[in-house]
Amino acid sequence: MARKKARTVYVCEECGAEHPKWGGRCLTCGAYNSLKEFKIAPEPSTRHTAQTWLGASDNPPRRLTEVEAEAMQRIPLTNREFARVLGGGIVPGSLVLIGGDPGIGKSTLLLQVAGELAERQGVVLYVSGEESTHQIRMRAERLGIHAADLYLLSETNLERIVAHIQHLHPRAVIVDSIQTVYLDSLASSAGSVTQVRECAARLLQTAKILNIPIFLVGHVTKSGDIAGPRVLEHIVDAVLYLEGDRLHAYRLLRSVKNRFGSTHEVGVFEMAERGMLEVANPSELFLGDHRADPTGAAIAVTLEGTRALLVEIQALSTTTAFSQPRRTATGFDLNRLYLLIAVLTKRVGLKLHNQDIFVNVVGGLRIAEPAADLAVALAIASSYREKPISRRMAAIGEIGLGGELRPVGQLEKRLSEAAKLGFTHCLVPKTSRPVRAEGIHVIPCGTVVEALHAAFKSGQHA
């Protein structure tokens, strides 16, 4: 039987898409001069391993009623923000991928988690393909980590890494990063599409067989996506993104995939000298500190997973100097902003056709849910009319094309969070049943016009 020869493919460095021949532009993501040549060796042994790692011959199909329903015991963490994003704790046997920009704090956060697990649970293995053990020790000293059961390993050969895991049988493993490890059986270099895919599959096998959680650090491309093939995100059980501006201290850990929890959870951290510190009350970060009521500002109550957050929406409306007015949104969907401007122009009567409009979400948070529509509209109207809105008033509601306010989910939970932070009034959509919350005056409104009238009236008497 003739031996299969290695084939040549061209892989995009930006999105990981494979192409049979070279081109000046990637047909998937549109990046120019991003295709690199890779030699892919035949994979009969790897494919055989992937089919038999669960022991297919010893694992016949079973009836649903015959499978024991065992309660999933998560590994608890004192780091509540990290545990929240994971769904309440670490699931044994899970494979978690964490991505983020260089220098954002991925290695620091995972080293802190490794130190906590080593002190409370037992042996933890931290594998680094980018740093030596001495460099990791220096960072651990700075973070105040002195766990005796935390083992450090500087290695890039995956066979050796798996051998150490099988020998130590740790409670958790961190691999920093998946783009630096490689398999000798594959001819391509570390970080290539084939290496990343097969290394992740091998680590998945190890996690499931030994029933230990494994955390992978993933590099990101210029567009912010995790480098490598898209199948990498399908292999793992959870995908977390660490976001934030390196010039600012605050970081957001966001879950975009989680087989064991919510996919919309957000954890908030502060990068300090002692590492990544939890933020006890994230809403305070996203609320500006103003003694007087400013114009062009309104408070929205949004939901990130199971957490209610209050954020400040800032808007600036100014007469344009050009024939085409500018519309800019930071942290808010630009197409949604166009819709709200059209509603304010048509249904409310604001003459915004010659206004440059800028909208910003304070604190670097990105808002995706439509419950913030009313706060954005109030901020724009406040800036245009030069009338302030009371700092003690929040706004909740989705705006329809007819100018009506549509109801949103978990309204009571949003109102409760606003009351805890000292807000006394809240504009909400008018619903069929009355909504009440202790410590806050609820103002139901049916349309944007009613909401604007109530907001400016309350602002005059605040």
Side-chain angles (χ1 to χ4, degrees), residues 168-240:
L168 289 175
H169 199 81
R171 295 300 305 272
V173 177
I174 289 92
V175 179
D176 186 6
S177 66
I178 187 61
Q179 280 82 14
T180 60
V181 297
Y182 67 93
L183 287 166
D184 281 331
S185 58
L186 302 179
S188 55
S189 60
S192 64
V193 173
T194 306
Q195 287 283 4
V196 170
R197 179 180 63 236
E198 298 303 330
C199 288
R202 184 70 61 86
L203 289 170
L204 177 67
Q205 301 168 16
T206 305
K208 302 303 179 185
I209 293 174
L210 300 180
N211 196 33
I212 59 175
I214 298 180
F215 294 88
L216 307 178
V217 175
H219 296 167
V220 297
T221 62
K222 295 179 180 177
S223 61
D225 299 323
I226 295 179
R230 201 67 182 180
V231 71
L232 174 63
E233 299 187 24
H234 299 307
I235 291 175
V236 301
D237 296 310
V239 180
L240 312 180

Side-chain angles (χ1 to χ4, degrees), residues 114-424:
E116 177 188 339
L117 290 174
E119 291 180 353
R120 301 171 64 89
Q121 301 294 328
V123 175
V124 175
L125 178 61
Y126 188 99
V127 182
S128 177
E130 302 173 348
E131 296 178 286
S132 66
T133 55
H134 297 287
Q135 292 174 323
I136 303 174
R137 174 60 188 273
M138 292 174 60
R139 181 149 45 90
E141 290 286 345
R142 177 175 58 85
L143 300 176
I145 300 174
H146 305 284
D149 286 332
L150 177 57
Y151 286 75
L152 306 180
L153 175 64
S154 181
E155 182 61 71
T156 56
N157 188 299
L158 189 60
E159 283 90 351
R160 298 174 187 171
I161 295 173
V162 173
H164 287 294
I165 294 175
Q166 293 173 343
H167 174 69
L168 289 175
H169 199 81
R171 295 300 305 272
V173 177
I174 289 92
V175 179
D176 186 6
S177 66
I178 187 61
Q179 280 82 14
T180 60
V181 297
Y182 67 93
L183 287 166
D184 281 331
S185 58
L186 302 179
S188 55
S189 60
S192 64
V193 173
T194 306
Q195 287 283 4
V196 170
R197 179 180 63 236
E198 298 303 330
C199 288
R202 184 70 61 86
L203 289 170
L204 177 67
Q205 301 168 16
T206 305
K208 302 303 179 185
I209 293 174
L210 300 180
N211 196 33
I212 59 175
I214 298 180
F215 294 88
L216 307 178
V217 175
H219 296 167
V220 297
T221 62
K222 295 179 180 177
S223 61
D225 299 323
I226 295 179
R230 201 67 182 180
V231 71
L232 174 63
E233 299 187 24
H234 299 307
I235 291 175
V236 301
D237 296 310
V239 180
L240 312 180
Y241 278 90
L242 190 60
E243 305 171 350
D245 191 343
R246 285 183 295 175
L247 300 178
H248 294 80
Y250 298 107
R251 305 286 188 268
L252 302 178
L253 184 64
R254 189 183 303 273
S255 171
V256 296
K257 174 188 176 181
N258 193 349
R259 290 172 178 163
F260 312 110
S262 173
T263 57
H264 300 285
E265 290 289 357
V266 171
V268 184
F269 300 89
E270 180 182 3
M271 177 63 82
E273 186 177 353
R274 295 176 294 161
M276 302 283 279
L277 305 180
E278 298 178 74
V279 177
N281 192 352
S283 294
E284 294 180 352
L285 299 179
F286 309 120
L287 297 177
D289 185 13
H290 301 284
R291 296 182 179 179
D293 297 336
T295 60
I299 306 301
V301 188
T302 67
L303 275 182
E304 292 288 347
T306 59
R307 164 185 283 165
L309 291 179
L310 277 78
V311 297
E312 179 180 351
I313 308 294
Q314 294 180 336
L316 178 62
S317 175
T318 180
T319 305
T320 184
F322 306 96
S323 58
Q324 186 70 23
R326 296 180 58 190
R327 278 84 166 93
T328 303
T330 303
F332 190 76
D333 182 53
L334 185 60
N335 292 325
R336 194 74 186 173
L337 177 60
Y338 291 148
L339 182 150
L340 296 179
I341 293 174
V343 171
L344 289 174
T345 302
K346 180 73 174 180
R347 306 300 181 187
V348 182
L350 302 184
K351 298 180 181 180
L352 303 176
H353 63 279
N354 61 345
Q355 297 290 307
D356 289 335
I357 297 178
F358 305 90
V359 172
N360 174 53
V361 180
V362 174
L365 189 68
R366 295 186 181 93
I367 298 180
E369 68 161 348
D373 287 354
L374 181 56
V376 175
L378 291 177
I380 295 174
S382 173
S383 177
Y384 177 77
R385 292 181 174 178
E386 289 294 333
K387 293 183 178 180
I389 298 175
S390 173
R391 298 290 300 174
R392 295 179 294 174
M393 172 177 286
I396 306 171
E398 176 185 355
I399 297 179
L401 295 180
E404 75 279 8
L405 295 185
R406 308 182 64 86
V408 298
Q410 302 188 43
L411 186 58
E412 291 80 2
K413 189 173 187 177
R414 301 172 193 259
L415 292 173
S416 176
E417 181 67 17
K420 289 180 183 178
L421 294 177
F423 286 82
T424 58

Side-chain angles (χ1 to χ4, degrees), residues 48-60 204-205 208-209:
H48 175 73
T49 303
Q51 292 175 350
T52 60
W53 66 271
L54 281 176
S57 60
D58 300 328
N59 188 26
L204 177 67
Q205 301 168 16
K208 302 303 179 185
I209 293 174

